[in-house]
Amino acid sequence: MPVFVYRAADRRGQTIDGVMEAADARAVVERLQRDSYFPIRVSPHAERRNWLSFGGSARVGQRDLLAFTQQLATLFEAGLPLDRALSILEELAASPRVKTIVADLLVSVRGGSSLSEALGKHHPRPFSRLYINMIRAGERGGVLEQTLRRLTEFLEARAAFADAVVTAVAYPAVVFTFGIGAIVFLMTFVIPRFATIFADLGQAIPLPTQILLTVSALFQGYWWVGVLAILAAVLAWRVWTGSPQGRLRWDQTMLGLPLIGPLAMKIETARFARTLGTMLKSGVPVMSALAVVGDTMTNHAIGQAVERLADGVKRGGTLAAGMQAQAPFPSLAIHMVRVGEETGRLEEMLLKVAETFEADVNTDLKRVLRLLEPVIIFSMGVLVAFIVVAMMLAIFSINEIPL
């Protein structure tokens, strides 16, 4: 169905912007008029994609989504009806994009749609299937307030986990960046000045200095070749991983790496357990939940394992048996899920699995980075030391100072 962008005014003269799916522009006008809005402009929506984004998502940012969910849950718990809660959230929106989305949700809800329907038909789709399915389950069970609170807890836990990973990686990344920057500065601005001096003197220079000057000259004259090679490699990687087969092979390779593979497996297991546990606790049927969980996996190899797991559950098998049949899942997670199924506390046990593996990821990541930090520092130190020693040897040879 075509999508239209509109601007309309309410009875107080305040304008709103939004998007709406409709058969034609007249249908958009009629729907806005039914909702007591006066259309100002209605035009077809043309999706624009920036080629630099490499197919980036149109979803709401994680922080904005968390704030929206928290505020909506609070307003619901205060007893406000949905349309009034959305009207307040429209005023509280932190960014124009979120304000436009909330305004469109308000128009849809006032037009007779449920919140899950309004979330699902927004275009471009800013809300994930996980979010929409949990809202739909909460509406059907009459527990939308509790569902919104669970969604808030889920988003908070996911954001805290992501922040912990970023914080752990930040220091080695900064050290590596500054180290590379220092070496580039020396090779680009410092060494060429010495090269001019040595050339004017016309004396023989030591072999390490000759190597350093040659590398510096190549870096100065052909730096653009290196840049083009890096860009070509990145583009080739993007094209390869853009295909289903290439992305699957890449993800399988990542899982097979010595240190990165087990860490990635624990991250995906924690995401699988937290997402599935949260959805089941909110009343989403297990098959619908598994279908959504498969889409949330960032590693396609794990996503396919979840799809095969769902097929086994559909044929009458247990979740633990399906996980055991899929080699990637850790044994601890399988045993904990089996205990949850036997005791009738599967949702709680899945969330416990998520907490356990998130803690393991934090510990393992810190351990790996503690090993990586001295390697980076030592490597940068060796390169800088070679540059300094090579230059000092040349200076000593010119001044005929015995070493």
Side-chain angles (χ1 to χ4, degrees):
M1 185 175 293
V3 179
F4 295 88
V5 181
Y6 66 83
R7 170 168 291 182
D10 57 15
R11 296 182 184 278
R12 295 174 294 178
Q14 296 181 346
T15 60
I16 63 168
D17 296 305
V19 293
M20 185 185 303
E21 289 183 337
D24 50 30
R26 177 178 291 276
V28 176
V29 172
E30 292 176 352
R31 182 171 174 181
L32 289 172
Q33 290 175 343
R34 287 199 307 268
D35 294 332
S36 300
Y37 286 95
F38 304 98
I40 298 175
R41 184 182 71 250
V42 178
S43 59
H45 174 69
E47 283 194 60
R48 292 172 297 182
R49 176 167 295 192
N50 188 348
W51 68 274
L52 292 174
S53 66
F54 294 107
S57 173
R59 293 180 178 176
V60 178
Q62 295 298 324
R63 296 297 178 186
D64 292 334
L65 182 60
L66 175 57
F68 169 80
T69 309
Q70 285 176 328
Q71 294 167 356
L72 185 59
T74 302
L75 293 174
F76 254 89
E77 291 172 353
L80 272 67
L82 179 58
D83 59 342
R84 183 164 180 199
L86 290 174
S87 178
I88 294 174
L89 290 180
E90 182 184 358
E91 298 177 4
L92 297 176
S95 65
R97 170 165 171 73
V98 176
K99 187 180 183 68
T100 300
I101 291 173
V102 176
D104 185 59
L105 294 176
L106 179 59
V107 171
S108 299
V109 168
R110 286 177 174 173
S113 300
S114 65
L115 180 59
S116 60
E117 292 173 346
L119 294 171
K121 67 184 180 183
H122 197 283
H123 190 86
R125 189 181 301 280
F127 299 96
S128 66
R129 290 179 59 196
L130 163 67
Y131 198 98
I132 296 170
N133 276 273
M134 288 186 63
I135 294 294
R136 183 178 294 116
E139 290 172 337
R140 291 175 179 175
V143 289
L144 185 56
E145 298 176 16
Q146 299 178 17
T147 301
L148 285 169
R149 186 54 60 191
R150 291 194 187 102
L151 262 175
T152 300
E153 295 171 356
F154 170 79
L155 294 173
E156 287 175 343
R158 188 170 66 177
F161 179 64
D163 289 343
V165 173
V166 171
T167 301
V169 175
Y171 178 71
V174 170
V175 171
F176 180 78
T177 301
F178 276 94
I180 293 297
I183 293 173
V184 170
F185 175 78
L186 290 174
M187 299 296 289
T188 306
F189 297 100
V190 178
I191 305 302
R193 295 180 182 274
F194 282 94
T196 303
I197 296 174
F198 296 150
D200 292 340
L201 293 175
Q203 295 184 6
I205 55 178
L207 178 61
T209 309
Q210 294 178 11
I211 295 174
L212 183 62
L213 295 178
T214 301
V215 173
S216 177
L218 291 174
F219 187 84
Q220 272 196 307
Y222 300 97
W223 62 267
W224 54 273
V225 176
V227 173
L228 289 179
I230 293 173
L231 291 177
V234 172
L235 181 60
W237 178 80
R238 293 292 307 185
V239 172
W240 182 51
T241 56
S243 64
Q245 297 82 3
R247 181 59 186 271
L248 181 61
R249 291 289 300 275
W250 171 261
D251 289 341
Q252 289 173 340
T253 302
M254 293 296 293
L255 290 176
L257 295 178
L259 291 176
I260 298 176
L263 189 63
M265 186 65 244
K266 289 183 179 181
I267 292 174
E268 294 297 324
T269 301
R271 181 181 288 112
F272 166 82
R274 183 168 295 281
T275 306
L276 182 59
T278 303
M279 295 188 73
L280 294 179
K281 199 169 185 179
S282 301
V284 180
V286 63
M287 293 308 303
S288 300
L290 285 173
V292 174
V293 170
D295 290 341
T296 62
M297 298 293 101
T298 56
N299 188 292
H300 285 200
I302 305 299
Q304 289 192 358
V306 173
E307 292 177 2
R308 295 191 296 269
L309 183 157
D311 292 338
V313 173
K314 187 177 182 179
R315 290 193 296 267
T318 63
L319 183 62
M323 293 175 65
Q324 190 170 15
Q326 306 305 323
F329 289 99
S331 299
L332 177 60
I334 296 172
H335 287 297
M336 293 179 70
V337 170
R338 181 176 291 112
V339 171
E341 290 178 321
E342 292 173 354
T343 59
R345 300 169 55 193
L346 178 59
E347 299 89 347
E348 298 178 13
M349 194 57 69
L350 282 168
L351 295 177
K352 192 67 177 176
V353 169
E355 294 174 1
T356 300
F357 278 90
E358 285 171 357
D360 286 349
V361 167
N362 289 333
T363 302
D364 293 348
L365 191 60
K366 290 178 181 178
R367 184 183 300 114
V368 171
L369 293 176
R370 275 198 297 267
L371 296 174
L372 187 61
E373 287 172 13
V375 172
I376 294 176
I377 294 174
F378 178 76
S379 301
M380 297 296 106
V382 167
L383 290 175
V384 173
F386 175 78
I387 294 174
V388 173
V389 170
M391 299 311 300
M392 294 301 295
L393 286 174
I395 293 173
F396 289 156
S397 65
I398 291 175
N399 290 278
E400 297 180 352
I401 300 177
L403 297 178

